[in-house]
Amino acid sequence: MVIVMQPTATKDQVQLVVSRIREMGLKDHVIVGTDLTVVAAIGDDRKKDRGSLENIPGVDRVVPILAPYKIAALESKKKRTQVRISDECVVGGTKVPVIAGPCSVESEKQIMESAIKVREAGAHALRGGAFKPRTNPYSFQGLGEEGLKLLAKARKETGLAVVTEVVTPGEVELVSSYADCLQIGTRNSQNFKLLDAAGRQPKPVLLKRGMAMTLEEYLQAAEYILAAGNPNVILCERGIRTFEDHTRNTLSLSVVPELHLRTHLPVIVDPSQGTGHARLVPDMCKASVACGADGLIIEVHPDPAHAMTDGAQSITPPMLAETIAICTRIAAAVDRGM
Ligand code: PEP
Ligand code: MN
């Protein structure tokens, strides 16, 4: 980090900064300019409270140089991470896989029909929530373990790997015993105990971006999972809160190329939560593939008008087939396959 002194800072104040830097176990390098003095602190300062230096008299600001995450940083790894959910669903390679299925598992009939139809449409994995984090306590909360059993049955029937959400640290082991990939939702993206627990089990983790999270906070959340020992983390842009209300969220697609500059982890996009309207989903899928997304997660329901959750944003299986066909052409244009 670099500590920028105020133009009026005295030599004693600079010396105070130097002593504090040394106390922190870092090396100091004072640069006296014509107008300002800056003190460079050399060494890994990520475990220190950098902000505390700002409270020393004469300090104008503290400028961090190292990103606050380490394992997630692009510099920490030469090769991009490929996360293998199954043989046909590898995220971060040359292919752009599609994870599709209903928002939630509603019944055996609904999830089996969904799985068969998304498979026919060309999806590479099945999504479906058994534990649903709902804003309204009176809304359908998911079928719980019964839903996990139905997902396992759908996997057996179709061969599609299963991606499903885990909501509490105490349920990580249970969900992990059924799922091929654990989803951590936007509302839980800074539930640090949950991130840590997901980092201590062997299945890949699909971490949604918090709806009010900066990229730096997002990568630190991913770092919790990585630091706990699980290298298989998939990032997922699902829209953020803004003033705009023509969509449920604002799908911030520029984070895809930006994350690729900052991290080796694969980045997928969820245009369903990202828009909230089925009519917008196909076009945002296309835009996602065009801007370099490593995969898509899409809500698909055989009968959206009767869906128990997120019906407005669920596309039908024929819409999925058409979307995948167009995205395949776009993927080829950006040197990927589907
Ligand atoms: C979902 O995928 O159905 C979901 C609840 O996602 P998010 O956490 O992004 O809202
Ligand atoms: Mn949903």
Side-chain angles (χ1 to χ4, degrees):
M1 72 187 134
V2 171
I3 296 94
V4 182
M5 303 302 295
Q6 291 165 357
T8 52
T10 63
K11 276 192 180 155
D12 284 351
Q13 289 173 333
V14 174
Q15 207 41 52
L16 226 69
V17 171
V18 167
S19 341
R20 181 74 187 102
I21 287 173
R22 289 182 188 168
E23 256 173 54
M24 286 176 154
L26 304 167
K27 282 202 181 128
D28 57 279
H29 180 62
V30 180
I31 304 151
V32 185
T34 46
D35 298 320
L36 288 177
T37 295
V38 302
V39 188
I42 302 154
D44 191 344
D45 53 30
R46 279 178 282 220
K47 290 190 179 160
K48 321 285 177 195
D49 182 5
R50 296 187 275 215
S52 64
L53 291 161
E54 209 179 282
N55 242 324
I56 299 176
V59 171
D60 181 52
R61 61 190 188 275
V62 178
V63 186
I65 304 291
L66 280 179
Y69 43 88
K70 214 169 180 172
I71 316 170
L74 187 60
E75 308 87 65
S76 80
K77 205 173 158 211
K78 291 210 173 61
K79 270 185 75 182
R80 293 209 165 268
T81 295
Q82 292 190 8
V83 179
R84 177 176 295 272
I85 297 179
S86 68
D87 285 350
E88 63 172 342
C89 189
V90 179
V91 188
T94 53
K95 297 259 169 78
V96 182
V98 175
I99 303 161
C103 177
S104 46
V105 182
E106 300 169 8
S107 66
E108 177 163 352
K109 182 175 174 294
Q110 174 254 14
I111 194 64
M112 296 311 265
E113 189 181 344
S114 300
I116 291 165
K117 290 191 168 164
V118 300
R119 154 121 261 170
E120 281 168 7
H124 306 90
L126 176 67
R127 63 149 289 150
F131 293 93
K132 296 301 300 176
R134 305 308 304 282
T135 301
N136 186 328
Y138 305 115
S139 303
F140 174 57
Q141 304 285 318
L143 296 179
E145 187 170 2
E146 182 52 29
L148 296 176
K149 289 185 177 152
L150 295 176
L151 284 166
K153 199 166 176 198
R155 171 177 51 212
K156 201 158 175 229
E157 177 77 21
T158 59
L160 288 175
V162 163
V163 179
T164 194
E165 182 161 355
V166 59
V167 178
T168 66
E171 282 154 348
V172 165
E173 211 181 311
L174 174 74
V175 178
S176 175
S177 71
Y178 287 97
D180 299 292
C181 175
L182 306 190
Q183 177 176 323
I184 294 182
T186 195
R187 294 161 187 81
N188 262 318
S189 56
Q190 280 183 313
N191 180 337
F192 303 119
K193 295 272 186 238
L194 180 60
L195 298 172
D196 182 71
R200 292 175 195 280
Q201 58 76 53
K203 302 287 172 70
V205 180
L206 190 166
L207 175 63
K208 299 275 195 101
R209 179 186 180 188
M211 62 181 92
M213 218 183 209
T214 64
L215 285 201
E216 200 151 277
E217 288 163 345
Y218 190 18
L219 288 167
Q220 288 174 88
E223 185 86 4
Y224 265 90
I225 304 169
L226 300 169
N230 189 342
N232 296 309
V233 177
I234 301 164
L235 301 174
C236 178
E237 169 58 35
R238 49 77 69 204
I240 52 170
R241 275 289 165 85
T242 71
F243 58 87
E244 186 55 78
D245 62 2
H246 84 282
T247 48
R248 181 180 180 190
N249 292 290
T250 295
L251 189 60
S252 175
L253 284 186
S254 60
V255 307
V256 175
E258 183 63 33
L259 282 170
H260 281 144
L261 294 173
R262 297 190 194 195
T263 179
H264 51 84
L265 298 172
V267 186
I268 71 168
V269 177
D270 176 346
S272 309
Q273 328 297 323
T275 62
H277 300 289
R279 62 178 182 273
L280 301 177
V281 169
D283 283 338
M284 295 318 285
C285 287
K286 295 177 217 167
S288 304
V289 175
C291 75
D294 297 301
L296 296 167
I297 179 164
I298 310 171
E299 287 185 344
V300 182
H301 197 287
D303 180 9
H306 288 97
M308 290 174 76
T309 60
D310 284 350
Q313 65 194 35
S314 299
I315 62 171
T316 60
M319 282 169 84
L320 177 67
E322 198 184 323
T323 302
I324 292 178
I326 301 175
C327 285
T328 303
R329 305 209 313 261
I330 295 172
V334 294
D335 299 327
R336 305 288 282 268
M338 279 192 88

